[in-house]
Amino acid sequence: MTLHQTVEAANVRRGQYSFSESLVTLSDPFAQSAEYIRALRTHIMAQHVEAGRRALAICEASPKLGATFVAANLAVSLAQAGVKTLLIDGNLREPMIQHMIIPDRELPGLRECLSVAGSSVGDYVQGDILPNLSVLYSGGMAPNAQELLARASFEQVINSCLRDYEMTIIDTPPANSCADARRIASVAAYSLIVSRRHKGLVADVKTLATQLRADHSTVIGTVLNDA
């Protein structure tokens, strides 16, 4: 599947949140890129949601290939279709979801949830940002990101989300910069690889797919951004 990615300033505000124009499922729902997202949603719903698979890690081999674009737009599109969806910013190195769905203040999130003993993920989830859409922000950069994700509490967080939401979409950092994406994908059990025309390398996609499978994550497909 090919997507055309746009990156613009935020132009829509609803309540406490602004939405970037690159969230095309909201800003330009009749654009070709939004149509491609809906086609991806149809596939996810038919082959993933209806089969009882409730989590999906969105991965990219190197920076700026479009993982955040796909994660955020897919989460919104699923919510628009009536699927109770949670979007998690699992990028504790350089959080990006906050630039797509922009809160009016800095919010705690996954970092704090994993750092504070006895935390409940529900205390950090921002509910009903849109109908059927909740967001767990990263909570900011974490110098010990790999250590936080390696904790048993991360698996507990994801398992809690699987119980509470029909679909949990997790944005991840570039796989060539750290092992975080592989850890997240292994816990989520399913992953989707994003690349970009004329920038992402086929060899890198193949390598990442091999690594994810070795970590017991089922790769359900690859999305190609058209830049």
Side-chain angles (χ1 to χ4, degrees), residues 10 100-101 115 117 135 159 182:
M100 299 284 286
I101 302 173
S115 300
V135 175
N159 287 336
R182 294 175 60 180

Side-chain angles (χ1 to χ4, degrees), residues 21-36:
E21 283 190 3
S22 58
L23 207 59
V24 293
T25 43
L26 284 180
S27 66
D28 195 2
F30 300 107
Q32 188 63 59
S33 52
E35 184 60 36
Y36 284 135

Side-chain angles (χ1 to χ4, degrees), residues 23-101:
L23 207 59
V24 293
T25 43
L26 284 180
S27 66
D28 195 2
F30 300 107
Q32 188 63 59
S33 52
E35 184 60 36
Y36 284 135
I37 289 289
R38 287 191 289 271
L40 176 60
R41 176 189 69 190
T42 298
H43 173 75
I44 297 297
M45 290 181 67
Q47 303 296 325
H48 208 70
V49 179
E50 293 179 7
R53 301 165 182 166
R54 291 177 170 255
L56 185 63
I58 309 300
C59 306
E60 60 185 6
S62 56
K64 299 182 179 180
L65 298 183
T68 301
F69 174 82
V70 171
N73 276 286
L74 178 58
V76 169
S77 187
L78 285 164
Q80 290 172 333
V83 178
K84 186 179 181 183
T85 303
L86 174 65
L87 173 62
I88 297 178
D89 192 341
N91 188 345
L92 299 178
R93 311 280 180 159
E94 187 178 359
M96 297 302 296
I97 294 299
Q98 64 199 31
H99 301 300
M100 299 284 286
I101 302 173

Side-chain angles (χ1 to χ4, degrees), residues 38 66 99 103 125 132 136 142 151 153 182 188 201 203 213 215 222:
R38 287 191 289 271
H99 301 300
V125 169
N132 297 309
L136 176 61
R151 293 177 179 175
S153 57
R182 294 175 60 180
L201 301 177
R213 293 186 183 109
D215 293 333
T222 301

